[in-house]
Amino acid sequence: MDSKLSLYNTLTRRKEEFEPLVEGRVGMYVCGPTVYGDPHLGHARPSVTFDLLFRYLKASGYKVRYVRNITDVGHLEHDADEGEDKIAKKARLEQLEPMEVAHYYTERYHKAMEALNVETPSIEPHASGHIIEQIEMVKRIYDAGFAYISNGSVYFDVEKYNAKYHYGKLSGRNLEDIVVNTRELDGQSDKRHSFDFALWKKASPEHIMRWPSPWSDGFPGWHMECSAMSTRYLGERFDIHGGGMDLMFPHHECEIAQSTAALGHDSARYWVHNNMVTINGQKMGKSLGNFITLEELFTGSHKLLEQAYTPMTIRFFVLQAHYRSTLDFSNEALQAAEKGLDRLMKGVDALAKVKPSATSTVKPEELEKRCRTAMDDDLNSPMVISALFDWVRIINQLVEGQQTITAEDLELLKGIVNRYVFDILGLRDEKAAGAASGRDYVTPLVEMLLEERLKARAAKDWAASDRIRDGLAAAGIRVKDRKDGSDWEIE
Ligand code: ZN
């Protein structure tokens, strides 16, 4: 591996050089969506962030097993151990079987991910398909002495765990702070302490999602699935665990406690968290009226949106910020991203118009070096984009003949640009993709007219030349003359 990737590890609170457990291979687990509603802006950020990491690891030569789960059971309304299951509630309200709800929104999520050009993970396990693994892990935690049974439910004994290990090490908390910040139990709970959490919950009579277990007919606690499924597919120790910052506490903290209690040690070496999304400076929330789904963004059908934004505009916008900074959505910012993406894609297109010379006045390997250094520095995608923009300017100078490049260097440059723009940043040329899906009638016709115009100019028939140019302009096609021909673009 010639890459020297450094990642910010939430666990140690510093950037660390990435060293996989097994040379050349990476195991990565990322918490996926709870499938009870349409995918929204909050889903776009982690999926694009970890897609970038997945793509970069692969481009750096690693074999990556990327596991991203689907939560289709056990995520209760109040995140902790109380309230109705989110999927069961939706099913009750819409008179559907819970798995119909989960299936429907999983499909919607996949469609949105495809639109954002997010690659499918290596494995996408569902929580409901891994009840046996979860029960087995609860047994191990219980046998190790870190859980207690209460009225058919099993709870994690945080105090006992904390006496041996440190509960709160990921989020930088101590149990004393957690005690101060959690409300007292109201006497109704089966838990000994408010900070304990459910590993297995006994189902109430009206609870429809239930499975048999040694303790009761019930369902696993929300945090359980990720410990069980990461162990199942990546082993007791693996390289990277990712997710949104909002999951750090309690979800990831509980995952660490569960895995440590069951296995005697931590599972993941690097914990990577993306920062949150805000809208016009505000947190996104249903009650705030600024909850925007991805479909609403793609179609422009939300009162806060001045226009529709293409999936690649959203992806580019996410990539323009470093994943550990907050990202604020606004129409102005998205419109700026749309222009930036257009400029980048035009630069990529312009590469095809560059004619090689005998000598080079430019060094493509400098672009490669800048992009790689930026990516190795904790996935600094904004720096990659800024390097690419500098080269869009250079490409335009090459087209205009202000700089020169040899055939060999031109091939090198094309390779670097394609690798970073398409393979690593994962951008897609939406205009070209649109043209490919229907037949492109425009390009051959315009090229033909421009050829005629070139002949007219060679014959000094300026009237004919102008007539063709003006005719194209009337059709919305702008012609730009160069020394050795002409370019055109659709306005
Ligand atoms: Zn998780």
Side-chain angles (χ1 to χ4, degrees):
M1 304 302 127
D2 44 6
S3 159
K4 290 271 184 294
L5 173 64
S6 280
L7 285 174
Y8 183 86
N9 190 348
T10 313
L11 205 52
T12 57
R13 286 166 192 77
R14 58 186 170 82
K15 273 187 216 170
E16 288 175 23
E17 194 168 311
F18 177 69
E19 290 282 357
L21 291 162
V22 179
E23 209 194 319
R25 291 182 177 272
V26 179
M28 173 159 96
Y29 187 93
V30 173
C31 293
T34 302
V35 282
Y36 70 105
D38 249 355
H40 52 76
L41 270 180
H43 290 112
R45 195 159 197 205
S47 56
V48 170
T49 298
F50 293 102
D51 187 52
L52 177 69
L53 179 53
F54 183 36
R55 286 166 177 272
Y56 189 58
L57 287 168
K58 288 194 293 180
S60 305
Y62 291 107
K63 275 199 166 10
V64 187
R65 184 181 294 165
Y66 174 19
V67 183
R68 188 187 64 206
N69 69 305
I70 294 282
T71 298
D72 57 359
V73 65
H75 198 170
L76 305 185
E77 284 262 274
H78 306 298
D79 267 13
D81 306 323
E82 302 308 325
E84 201 172 353
D85 184 290
K86 291 184 177 188
I87 290 155
K89 183 182 176 186
K90 186 93 180 169
R92 178 173 59 78
L93 294 173
E94 298 188 5
Q95 294 188 305
L96 295 167
E97 153 70 25
M99 282 303 131
E100 271 182 288
V101 173
H103 180 80
Y104 178 78
Y105 289 112
T106 303
E107 292 291 300
R108 305 273 292 170
Y109 178 73
H110 285 158
K111 232 177 103 188
M113 290 306 108
E114 202 185 312
L116 290 170
N117 210 20
V118 167
E119 289 190 348
T120 175
S122 325
I123 307 176
E124 194 174 52
H126 292 228
S128 66
H130 297 76
I131 302 292
I132 292 167
E133 286 86 347
Q134 297 185 68
I135 291 174
E136 286 307 309
M137 200 150 184
V138 176
K139 281 186 195 163
R140 286 177 81 168
I141 296 170
Y142 183 80
D143 291 345
F146 293 108
Y148 57 90
I149 301 166
S150 173
N151 192 24
S153 293
V154 185
Y155 292 98
F156 193 90
D157 191 337
V158 171
E159 208 165 46
K160 190 155 178 207
Y161 173 84
N162 191 57
K164 184 166 181 190
Y165 305 101
H166 171 197
Y167 179 75
K169 69 173 182 178
L170 180 68
S171 57
R173 289 167 162 87
N174 286 311
L175 189 54
E176 297 82 69
D177 315 328
I178 297 167
V179 173
V180 173
N181 291 311
T182 42
R183 63 190 164 80
E184 281 298 301
L185 292 173
D186 53 12
Q188 302 286 312
S189 178
D190 300 328
K191 289 198 273 191
R192 287 181 195 160
H193 296 288
S194 56
F195 45 73
D196 292 344
F197 55 91
L199 301 175
W200 184 265
K201 282 281 277 184
K202 181 183 174 179
S204 56
E206 65 275 13
H207 199 100
I208 38 182
M209 299 172 88
R210 53 168 70 215
W211 290 265
S213 81
W215 314 287
S216 62
D217 272 13
F219 55 94
W222 172 40
H223 315 306
M224 208 53 237
E225 62 177 281
C226 293
S227 288
M229 297 191 296
S230 61
T231 309
R232 168 81 169 76
Y233 295 112
L234 298 173
E236 292 195 2
R237 294 178 199 270
F238 60 92
D239 299 296
I240 300 169
H241 194 311
M245 227 169 68
D246 54 334
L247 295 177
M248 200 192 299
F249 188 89
H251 184 57
H252 290 160
E253 202 72 74
C254 294
E255 269 189 63
I256 290 180
Q258 290 169 158
S259 299
T260 307
L263 312 170
H265 58 78
D266 233 357
S267 287
R269 284 200 52 205
Y270 301 85
W271 283 83
V272 180
H273 290 98
N274 64 273
N275 211 321
M276 295 290 94
V277 161
T278 54
I279 296 174
N280 298 317
Q282 272 191 315
K283 203 171 171 261
M284 189 169 81
K286 286 221 162 86
S287 56
L288 297 167
N290 66 355
F291 188 89
I292 307 177
T293 68
L294 291 173
E295 189 173 284
E296 285 165 341
L297 269 170
F298 300 160
T299 56
S301 59
H302 187 286
K303 63 177 177 4
L304 288 179
L305 299 174
E306 287 169 10
Q307 62 173 88
Y309 299 98
T310 67
M312 278 311 106
T313 300
I314 306 298
R315 183 173 180 113
F316 187 70
F317 181 62
V318 170
L319 292 170
Q320 267 189 319
H322 188 260
Y323 75 93
R324 285 197 289 119
S325 323
T326 53
L327 180 63
D328 189 44
F329 278 75
S330 65
N331 282 292
E332 300 75 62
L334 284 168
Q335 282 155 10
E338 189 179 68
K339 284 205 185 80
L341 177 62
D342 189 52
R343 190 150 59 92
L344 181 59
M345 286 305 164
K346 281 197 176 123
V348 176
D349 285 349
L351 263 176
K353 297 174 196 155
V354 175
K355 298 205 171 60
S357 307
T359 55
S360 282
T361 58
V362 298
K363 290 195 179 77
E365 53 273 32
E366 282 176 0
L367 172 64
E368 165 84 59
K369 197 173 166 222
R370 278 180 69 187
C371 289
R372 186 188 303 192
T373 306
M375 283 303 290
D376 280 347
D377 183 16
D378 196 26
L379 307 180
N380 200 330
S381 52
M383 290 298 285
V384 173
I385 290 170
S386 121
L388 288 167
F389 274 144
D390 286 346
W391 276 77
V392 166
R393 211 168 52 236
I394 294 171
I395 291 166
N396 288 332
Q397 289 167 349
L398 288 167
V399 172
E400 303 289 340
Q402 293 157 352
Q403 299 239 42
T404 60
I405 191 165
T406 62
E408 198 185 338
D409 278 350
L410 181 58
E411 281 316 299
L412 182 66
L413 177 59
K414 284 178 181 170
I416 297 164
V417 168
N418 285 333
R419 186 155 66 252
Y420 279 91
V421 172
F422 301 112
D423 299 347
I424 295 172
L425 295 181
L427 296 167
R428 190 155 49 194
D429 190 344
E430 287 173 320
K431 285 188 182 132
S437 67
R439 197 169 145 203
D440 178 13
Y441 294 99
V442 176
T443 304
L445 290 174
V446 174
E447 299 287 343
M448 197 181 78
L449 283 165
L450 288 180
E451 241 169 71
E452 290 306 310
R453 181 161 172 267
L454 215 57
K455 278 186 213 155
R457 281 159 64 99
K460 300 198 189 310
D461 184 353
W462 309 117
S465 162
D466 288 352
R467 202 163 56 236
I468 294 171
R469 187 196 58 206
D470 296 346
L472 284 167
I477 290 161
R478 189 154 64 101
V479 177
K480 276 197 319 203
D481 288 321
R482 288 196 326 261
K483 266 185 282 176
D484 56 344
S486 47
D487 281 337
W488 61 277
E489 61 182 19
I490 299 175
E491 290 186 302

